[in-house]
Amino acid sequence: MAQAKGSKAKIIYDGETTFGTTRDSVVAHVLPFVNESLRQSRNLIDSQSIRSTRDTRAPVRGNSEVAGDITVELDPYMGKLLYHALGTVSTTGSSPYSHTFTVYDLPPGMTIEKQFTDLTTPEYFVYNGCKVNSFRVSLKSEGFIDTSINLMGSAETVSTTSIDTSPTDYSASAVGGAF
């Protein structure tokens, strides 16, 4: 069985109009990332019963959880992620635009897809109903601005086809340098 290389993975994301449901007409963006830990997990719960046979009962499954962090370098095209972290955005002017983010009611959620296309049969892990749990920014005197996005989601689906075969990629731009 082939092993995917993390260096060839890709993350794309899009907003949802209904919580937990991928939109019919996906307009995904590529999210260049440093590392990620987004995944679904489920605990096994052991029985505490004392039985006369000394045999243990089979464990039962606990709740399913989709959660993890995505670490990125801040770039000027992360507006959609900031919108999901803060709640609303007001855009004024013409190129260059001025964006004002305000804490307000959050949008329904995001669909995030991890792509492993270097396998014989590509695999796509789709996470629906993702919400930003925390958004941390680390400023330094020089270099890129590290950003960590902690996410919670509702479901993971593994597929052999992508939600968007031609996502928008702005990965050539980043924010950083000496201040």
Side-chain angles (χ1 to χ4, degrees), residues 25-78:
S25 54
V26 175
V27 183
H29 289 84
V30 174
L31 180 63
F33 65 101
V34 176
N35 59 52
E36 62 83 24
S37 63
L38 187 61
R39 60 194 28 83
Q40 179 174 304
S41 63
R42 178 174 271 178
N43 293 329
L44 288 177
I45 302 168
D46 292 322
S47 172
Q48 301 299 312
S49 295
I50 298 173
R51 298 174 40 163
S52 62
T53 61
R54 294 179 47 173
D55 295 335
T56 59
R57 285 187 174 167
V60 296
R61 290 180 179 233
N63 294 331
S64 176
E65 176 186 56
V66 173
D69 291 319
I70 300 177
T71 303
V72 299
E73 294 170 341
L74 189 67
D75 73 53
Y77 298 100
M78 291 179 67

Side-chain angles (χ1 to χ4, degrees), residues 115-157:
Q115 300 181 348
F116 299 98
T117 56
D118 59 331
L119 298 171
T120 307
T121 303
E123 287 189 349
Y124 303 90
F125 290 77
V126 180
Y127 301 94
N128 291 102
C130 291
K131 296 271 196 169
V132 175
N133 187 34
S134 67
F135 193 92
R136 295 180 303 275
V137 177
S138 299
L139 300 173
K140 300 180 273 189
S141 61
E142 68 178 4
F144 293 100
I145 299 172
D146 297 329
T147 306
S148 179
I149 307 157
N150 180 266
L151 298 162
M152 300 180 300
S154 66
E156 174 191 72
T157 309

Side-chain angles (χ1 to χ4, degrees), residues 9-21:
K10 183 191 291 186
I11 294 178
I12 65 173
Y13 66 100
D14 188 31
E16 297 173 343
T17 52
T18 304
F19 178 77
T21 306

